[in-house]
Amino acid sequence: MNRNLLVRPLGIGTLSLPNNLALAPMAGTSDLAFRRICHRMGAGLTVTELVSARGMMHDPAMRRNWRYLAIDADAGAMGIQLFGADPDDFAAAIWQILDHPILGRCSLIDINMGCPVRKVVSEGAGCALMQTPQLAARIAQKAVAAAQGLKPVTVKCRSGWDDASVNAVLFARMLADCGVSAITVHARTRAQMYGGKADWSVLAAVKAAVSLPVYGNGDVTCWQDADRMLRETGVDGVMIGRAAQGNPWLFRQIHSQDGTGPGPEDRRDIILEHLAQLAELLGEATAVREMRRHLGQYLRGTPGAARLRAAAMAVTRREDLENLLGEWQIRCQ
Ligand SMILES: Cc1cc2nc3c(=O)[nH]c(=O)nc-3n(C[C@H](O)[C@H](O)[C@H](O)COP(=O)(O)O)c2cc1C
């Protein structure tokens, strides 16, 4: 095996990323707290969850969106993902980001052209744009122009809408002509949603068709998968979604090519760090409530997980959750 193929620096437009591993945008997961942790574990890029380009205009003070978009220097390179169906909305949102004293420091702007959710596609946004490539091109051109070369604009799409319309190759070529700096392809169709198996042959075809950096995405769950995706498809980077939920150590494992997972103490420490950062961002009560969901992911497959999760449902204070975790850790040893 050629070990050098795996983790390596990656350039996206004017941006130099330390490595080619990325945390996928995930609604409900990719907040600042988790992005920071994944960055520390070795993700070279993290991306916020999707935020409505039009919604940004109605939230000039970022009261609603701040929790999704918050960035800081500790979180490394970070992309802001926008969704929408009106090119002007993207231009306005990007100007707003560039003008913002903190968001203006983001590393890139990513356009969502892959979301399969009915509410999004029914408005012509997300993966619906793969069925309206002319509109997708106008959005990409407007976004690239609005970013004025100050930030690379990237796109995340799927293989296509359904089996009968797998068009990622043509779509990627078109986006490259629009000035987009990189493309991520989730190797599933919209019809597949998150089921079935990702078809990595689409990744190889897209990579062969464009000279832009391409991130492959879909079904990478261990360092061997990341290695195989890079070698088999030739993509430049690997973007990881679900397998990183509650498992930020995956990035470290890919770097070291060693699948050893965290011990109970390490797991507890990261959960506590996540909780503390959520509390800073959202206040204690919301942080504890949100942490219950993350806990299920962090504790997946560990002894006593079900008992701890059940007990966590009843607590509202950070201190109580910390105590429960302490007890869980002792039981694990
Ligand atoms: C809970 C959840 C939320 C997601 N939210 C987003 C999102 O906001 N934007 C986006 O482009 N993709 C989103 N995705 C898709 C992921 O970024 C990724 O493309 C998909 O999960 C496939 O990668 P995986 O097999 O590594 O999980 C989401 C996926 C999940 C499971």
Side-chain angles (χ1 to χ4, degrees):
M1 181 175 60
N2 179 356
R3 291 191 167 252
N4 293 331
L5 266 182
L6 194 49
V7 180
R8 55 180 184 263
L10 180 62
I12 295 183
T14 52
L15 179 67
S16 298
L17 297 173
N19 68 60
N20 53 349
L21 307 179
L23 172 70
M26 280 182 288
T29 296
S30 306
D31 54 33
L32 176 60
F34 193 62
R35 281 187 266 117
R36 257 190 203 136
I37 291 169
C38 288
H39 162 65
R40 227 184 46 244
M41 293 290 175
L45 173 71
T46 65
V47 186
T48 67
E49 69 179 69
L50 78 177
V51 168
S52 161
R54 180 164 293 177
M56 293 225 2
M57 286 187 286
H58 299 301
D59 184 22
M62 301 276 171
R63 271 187 246 288
R64 214 175 74 81
N65 283 323
W66 181 249
R67 57 161 301 179
Y68 308 118
L69 300 181
I71 54 176
D72 72 8
D74 295 346
M78 172 269 203
I80 292 181
Q81 191 187 64
L82 299 173
F83 77 96
D86 183 335
D88 291 334
D89 289 347
F90 283 89
I94 290 170
W95 290 328
Q96 200 177 335
I97 290 168
L98 293 178
D99 278 348
H100 192 276
I102 297 174
L103 297 186
R105 292 185 221 143
C106 74
S107 310
L108 57 83
I109 308 287
D110 187 59
I111 304 178
N112 183 315
M113 298 195 183
C115 181
V117 174
R118 190 183 302 274
K119 197 162 156 259
V120 172
V121 295
S122 65
E123 290 172 11
C127 199
L129 288 166
M130 294 194 76
Q131 291 190 299
T132 53
Q134 287 177 350
L135 175 58
R138 286 211 310 281
I139 287 174
Q141 284 159 349
K142 261 272 161 90
V144 169
Q148 304 161 57
L150 298 171
K151 306 285 173 197
V153 173
T154 61
V155 169
K156 180 165 177 281
C157 66
R158 287 190 171 230
S159 305
W161 182 259
D162 58 20
D163 275 353
S165 57
V166 171
N167 61 345
V169 167
L170 285 179
F171 200 69
R173 274 207 197 114
M174 178 199 77
L175 292 170
D177 289 342
C178 295
V180 159
S181 296
I183 293 170
T184 301
V185 181
H186 175 192
R188 279 191 177 79
T189 61
R190 190 265 172 176
Q192 281 181 281
M193 302 295 280
Y194 294 98
K197 205 166 165 276
D199 176 4
W200 290 0
S201 69
V202 175
L203 304 178
V206 170
K207 179 57 204 167
V210 294
S211 53
L212 297 177
V214 175
Y215 278 99
N217 171 238
D219 293 351
V220 170
T221 62
C222 58
W223 76 261
Q224 290 92 337
D225 287 342
D227 182 55
R228 200 163 54 79
M229 180 184 272
L230 288 165
R231 279 187 296 115
E232 285 180 7
T233 70
V235 290
D236 304 277
V238 172
M239 182 175 273
I240 301 174
R242 290 163 296 177
Q245 289 180 306
N247 184 25
W249 297 274
L250 180 54
F251 293 103
R252 196 171 68 187
Q253 291 168 354
I254 297 173
H255 278 274
S256 61
Q257 303 194 352
D258 175 352
T260 309
E265 196 178 332
D266 204 3
R267 209 179 278 272
R268 184 209 57 190
D269 287 350
I270 289 291
I271 296 172
L272 290 180
E273 179 184 337
H274 195 154
L275 176 62
Q277 293 191 5
L278 277 184
E280 203 180 293
L281 202 63
L282 308 171
E284 176 167 345
T286 311
V288 170
R289 214 171 37 245
E290 298 218 348
M291 203 59 207
R292 292 178 190 149
R293 183 166 35 86
H294 294 296
L295 263 185
Q297 293 163 343
Y298 274 117
L299 300 176
R300 215 169 13 205
T302 63
R307 190 144 56 124
L308 173 56
R309 280 212 321 271
M313 293 310 282
V315 304
T316 52
R317 294 186 325 156
R318 180 172 152 192
E319 192 187 337
D320 296 333
L321 195 51
E322 287 170 355
N323 289 339
L324 283 176
L325 273 164
E327 289 164 21
W328 167 84
Q329 188 216 334
I330 291 166
R331 276 201 306 275
C332 281
Q333 281 164 345

